[in-house]
Each structure stands twice: as C-alpha cells, then as structure tokens.
Amino acid sequence: MTEQAPPAGTPDLAPEDGKVAAARVSTPSASRRRATKKAAESTDVIVVGAGPAGSAVGFHLAVAGVDVLILEKSHFPREKVCGDGLTPRAVKALTTMGVPIAEDDGWLRNKGLRIIGGGGRIELDWPDLSSYPGYGMVRARTDFDQILARHAEKAGARLLEGVTVTGPLVDDRTGRITGVTTKDGRRFTSRLVVAADGNSSRLSVAMGLHKRDDRPLGVAVRTYYTSPRHDDDYLEAWLDLWDGNSLLPGYGWIFGMGDGTSNVGVGLLNTSSGFGEIDYRALLRTWLATMPAEWGFTEQNRTEPVRGAALPMAFNRTPHYTGGLLLVGDAGGMVNPFNGEGIAYALESGEIAARVITQALARSSAAGCERVLQTYPRLLKDAYGGYYTLGRVFVELIGRPSVMRFATKHGVKRPAVMRFTMKLLGNLTETRGGDAVDRLINAVSKMTPAA
Ligand SMILES: Cc1cc2nc3c(=O)[nH]c(=O)nc-3n(C[C@H](O)[C@H](O)[C@H](O)COP(=O)(O)OP(=O)(O)OC[C@H]3O[C@@H](n4cnc5c(N)ncnc54)[C@H](O)[C@@H]3O)c2cc1C
C-alpha cells in the first residue's frame, strides 16, 4: 500500500500486483546452496515488517528465547498513516509487553470517547473493568512504532532496517516457505516466517493468500492541524458524514496530540452503495467546514499532507497459517470492523503467534511442530471470530443510510444505549463475569459462529 490519499473510486490503494510473486524464487537444493557464493543467513523465525504486529511478535519470541530476525523496509523514525488513537485494549497489550508508558515520556492519556451526531453529543468514559485499564492514549506513530521496535530489540530480537523483502523462498517439493529474498540481493532462511507487512502483505500474496472480498474494508484519510483542541482528554468521533442526502457509514475523528496539533481524519466502510465514488479529501474538507473557526482546522494550520490507507477488517485474509507462514495484524486483516481499531489487534495477534511458534519450535518432530502451528488460526477464531462475524452484520446494517440515520438520531441521546455501544464497539468487556452488558456481549459473541 502506498500511503497516499486515495483517489476517488479507488478504495483499495494497494493493488496486489504480481511484483512480489514475480520475484518468487525456489530454495536451492542443499548442494546448490553450498555452492552459492553468498551464503543465506539463517535464523529460527523471520518477521517481515516492524509495525506494531511485527515488533510484538519479535518481542514475545525474543523473551521466550527464540532466535528472531525482523526485516523492515523503512528506517525509524518513519511515518505511518493512522489516527494515533489507542484504546484501553491497546494500553493493556503495551503493558503486557512492559513498554514504559509514563505521561512524562510523551504518552497522552485520555478518559474516553466523545460522540457527536444526530444533534446529540455525549461523553463516555472508558469502562471501569478489571480486564482493561480505564484509560486510552494517543501517540504519534512516528514515535510509537520506533519505541516498539526498539523495545523488541532490547528484548533480544534482531532488527534490520532499510531491508525490503521482495519475495518468499519456497521449497519446490513441499511448497513450504523457507525464507525470504530482499531487494539488496540477500537471502535469509528460517524455520518459520511471519507476515507482518501490513494491509497489502505482498509476502502473503506471493504465497497465494489474497484478500477476501466477502469481508468489510475501510478506507480512511487523515492529517494534522495546529489547534487549541490539541490537549483534549477525550477522543472525539463525529457520526455526521454526509454524501448529499445519504448519511455515510463511518465517522470523522479529532484526536488531540498534546503537542499543539490534532490528528483529524475520516474513515468509511465499503458497505455503502457509493463507496467507490467517494472523494475522501473533499469529504474531509466538507466536514471540517462545519467546525467552529476557532478550532483552527484551516488550510493555513494544516501541518501535514492529507494521506490515506485501507483498513482490512474481520479476517479479510485467510488462512492465518499455511506452509510455514503465519499472518499477524493487518496482513491477516485483523482490524475491528466495529470501530476501525487495528493497533490492539496487531499487538494481540503478535503475542498469540509468538506463543504458538515458541511451543511449535520446542516439539521434537516436524509433525509435532506442524500440529501446534495448525492451532494458530483456531486460537484467532476463538479470540475474535464470533465478534468479527457480529461486526460484519453491523457494517452491513449501517451501510444502509436509513439505519445509520436512525441509530445516530436515536442512539446518541440515550446514555444507556451509548454505554452499551461503547463496550460493544470497543470490544471492552470483562473477560469473565462483569455486568449484564458484558455478559450479553460475551455470550452473543461466543454463540455467533466464527467464519
Ligand atoms: C487513516 C488510518 C487511521 C487509523 N487510525 C487508527 C487508530 O487511531 N487506532 C488504531 O488502533 N488503528 C488505527 N488504524 C489502523 C492501524 O493503523 C493498523 O491496523 C496497524 O498499523 C496495523 O499494524 P501492522 O503492524 O499489522 O501493520 P503496519 O503498521 O502497516 O506495519 C507494516 C510494516 O511492514 C513494513 N513492510 C511492508 N512491506 C515490507 C516489505 N516488503 N519488506 C519489509 N518491510 C515491509 C512496513 O514498512 C511497516 O513498517 C488506522 C488506519 C488508517 C489507514
């Protein structure tokens, strides 16, 4: 995915072209490999991509004593198009990894979500749960991704920056991935490879794993403005995004960065009829034109270009394990379809994958190792499958303007409905017990078949 503003009518900005597939090479036989001048570097696990998912896998594997090499095409610090918002779910995953998140170190905490729409406005604090902290955070991805990558390195993961993976090394006989090739002509071999290369996941495509078009996809654009609203302690979401007379399925956000700027953007789901026709920059402009002038969301105050990218949702690439390759984060389409949050799921799937890999590599037979690896897709389905199926129903429903209008008009003014909605959309319930709302959401998620 090139992270540029998407042109109207091009919802998926990253054509899964054949570039990587064309670079696909076969693993040389043992004798040929010995004869090769430049020997391939070998490791237990190669992770392609050092976004949140890749750094999380690298961190957890290193802590478990696994030899892990992360290959990242860019150099840190680097930009990543994002809203920079972290829910309590993401905070929990960071805490589990022992990432220092003191406010003095630039982590801006928030109390909850302010929702505006249908003439209503409500502030909802993050739920007070034993399973998740009662606060979220904001951190620019330029810092965030670098902090995570360094954290993984500190734990013992090896990270090579500026190394672009061009394709898989594949064993001709078994079809199994045995390593990767890189743009600078090197070859790296490993027992397992993790695709953490984001939404386009060219590595997955080269291994025959394409996006599923029966899953929802979001597209979002964002930029930054200097604004007096920069130190807001609520994340703000606006539901009134209009295309003519149609209320669109998505929201606009204003997230104060605490550094004099606000991250401002709009995100839409592909379930509305006009999805492919929408000009996102124009939508952002039109929406911002409705804001009070003193907030400063004007061209003069814009500090960055408007950039956009896709949000792959509800397991839009499967299977999550095949032939030595595991998919984590956006590569496996793990963005929450209810709210467009992807960082928490990148971190969590990274941890799950690392747990599975650690156990698999400790088995004494190839068959035993494979049996453990096959559990990865099932563990993901247990964790998110039912909930994502519900999310798919949700995005279909709000893709109908009449439903979106009804929900916005009648929901936002009812605190009880909104508290329920916040827990459902944020996937923030007690994992065990909890109140009636928690139990209802958990039960329905469990009963709903994972697909
Ligand atoms: C506009 C927008 C706003 C968003 N806002 C939020 C938000 O506020 N909160 C939230 O939780 N989520 C948000 N998301 C979603 C979130 O950004 C993603 O879900 C998250 O970044 C996924 O992490 P990842 O590690 O799987 O992939 P990525 O963050 O995309 O990381 C992939 C990494 O792989 C590297 N890479 C790619 N190809 C190669 C290659 N061939 N060789 C080597 N390295 C490679 C890339 O350089 C990159 O570092 C937003 C998304 C968008 C588009």
Side-chain angles (χ1 to χ4, degrees):
M1 151 112 354
T2 52
E3 293 189 333
Q4 300 297 326
T10 316
D12 186 352
L13 305 171
E16 291 182 341
D17 56 34
K19 277 187 194 142
V20 170
R24 181 172 170 156
V25 292
S26 299
T27 307
S29 66
S31 57
R32 269 171 60 209
R33 202 181 302 132
R34 271 194 299 275
T36 311
K37 266 193 214 144
K38 206 172 176 184
E41 196 181 311
S42 196
T43 182
D44 280 338
V45 181
I46 291 169
V47 179
V48 180
S55 290
V57 187
F59 168 82
H60 289 290
L61 285 176
V63 166
V66 175
D67 183 20
V68 54
L69 173 67
I70 310 174
L71 302 175
E72 166 58 49
K73 70 177 177 188
S74 53
H75 290 272
F76 292 109
R78 61 107 177 84
E79 184 185 20
K80 161 73 180 92
V81 179
C82 189
D84 305 325
L86 302 165
T87 67
R89 214 179 163 99
V91 177
K92 181 179 182 178
L94 292 172
T95 315
T96 305
M97 289 170 65
V99 176
I101 49 168
E103 287 183 272
D104 290 349
D105 292 335
W107 298 87
L108 187 70
R109 295 191 180 186
N110 54 62
K111 295 181 186 166
L113 200 56
R114 182 182 307 114
I115 302 176
I116 297 164
R121 171 194 155 98
I122 187 167
E123 271 175 9
L124 296 160
D125 287 354
W126 297 115
D128 191 16
L129 305 170
S130 64
S131 307
Y132 298 98
Y135 63 94
M137 298 191 300
V138 167
R139 186 85 203 221
R141 291 290 296 272
T142 339
D143 297 338
F144 182 79
D145 288 28
Q146 170 160 257
I147 290 168
L148 287 192
R150 300 289 171 247
H151 194 67
E153 273 187 304
K154 234 183 262 168
R158 284 180 300 138
L159 169 67
L160 296 183
E161 295 172 48
V163 176
T164 301
V165 169
T166 46
L169 290 164
V170 180
D171 184 317
D172 287 337
R173 201 172 38 84
T174 59
R176 211 178 157 82
I177 190 167
T178 57
V180 296
T181 53
T182 59
K183 203 172 171 183
D184 55 10
R186 283 187 282 175
R187 295 183 306 120
F188 294 85
T189 59
S190 60
R191 295 174 69 187
L192 294 169
V193 178
V194 178
D197 49 348
N199 164 60
S200 302
S201 191
R202 299 208 159 126
L203 185 67
S204 306
V205 174
M207 289 297 291
L209 301 178
H210 295 270
K211 281 182 183 163
R212 298 176 58 148
D213 50 19
D214 61 344
R215 298 297 148 110
L217 188 84
V219 169
V221 298
R222 70 95 174 94
T223 186
Y224 297 87
Y225 294 91
T226 44
S227 168
R229 302 214 44 207
H230 75 102
D231 59 356
D232 195 349
D233 50 14
Y234 283 82
L235 299 179
E236 190 165 287
W238 289 61
L239 304 180
D240 290 322
L241 294 182
W242 293 90
D243 178 27
N245 290 329
S246 289
L247 188 56
L248 296 166
Y251 63 91
W253 71 82
I254 302 170
F255 296 169
M257 301 298 297
D259 63 353
T261 67
S262 295
N263 179 320
V264 178
V266 293
L268 289 183
L269 291 157
N270 65 348
T271 47
S272 68
S273 55
F275 177 72
E277 312 300 320
I278 294 194
D279 178 342
Y280 291 83
R281 287 167 189 239
L283 182 67
L284 181 65
R285 261 197 317 271
T286 314
W287 170 58
L288 289 180
T290 66
M291 304 281 154
E294 60 272 22
W295 289 358
F297 300 136
T298 59
E299 275 308 284
Q300 303 90 282
N301 293 339
R302 187 159 60 76
T303 60
E304 297 286 338
V306 179
R307 293 191 202 280
L311 296 120
M313 297 173 164
F315 293 156
N316 89 332
R317 196 188 308 273
T318 55
H320 290 115
Y321 170 72
T322 183
L325 180 74
L326 296 93
L327 275 48
V328 292
D330 276 14
M334 296 195 206
V335 172
N336 180 348
F338 282 105
N339 65 358
E341 175 186 18
I343 296 171
Y345 300 92
L347 298 172
E348 288 180 8
S349 59
E351 187 194 358
I352 297 170
R355 248 190 288 136
V356 169
I357 291 170
T358 306
Q359 292 303 324
L361 293 182
R363 296 298 161 103
S364 47
S365 71
C369 175
E370 193 58 24
R371 256 198 312 276
V372 178
L373 292 167
Q374 296 285 354
T375 64
Y376 178 58
R378 210 178 59 223
L379 289 172
L380 287 177
K381 276 191 178 176
D382 289 350
Y384 313 125
Y387 178 76
Y388 282 178
T389 304
L390 285 179
R392 284 161 56 202
V393 175
F394 170 81
V395 301
E396 282 303 327
L397 283 174
I398 65 166
R400 297 180 203 163
S402 56
V403 176
M404 185 71 190
R405 211 165 28 239
F406 183 86
T408 305
K409 190 167 167 206
H410 298 285
V412 178
K413 291 171 194 150
R414 290 180 171 73
V417 172
M418 291 316 287
R419 271 194 293 276
F420 170 85
T421 307
M422 187 195 209
K423 282 191 169 187
L424 176 68
L425 269 52
N427 200 4
L428 290 169
T429 56
E430 291 289 19
T431 36
R432 274 171 212 287
D435 63 15
V437 169
D438 295 338
R439 288 198 298 274
L440 175 68
I441 295 172
N442 291 344
V444 175
S445 297
K446 277 207 185 86
M447 273 159 32
T448 308

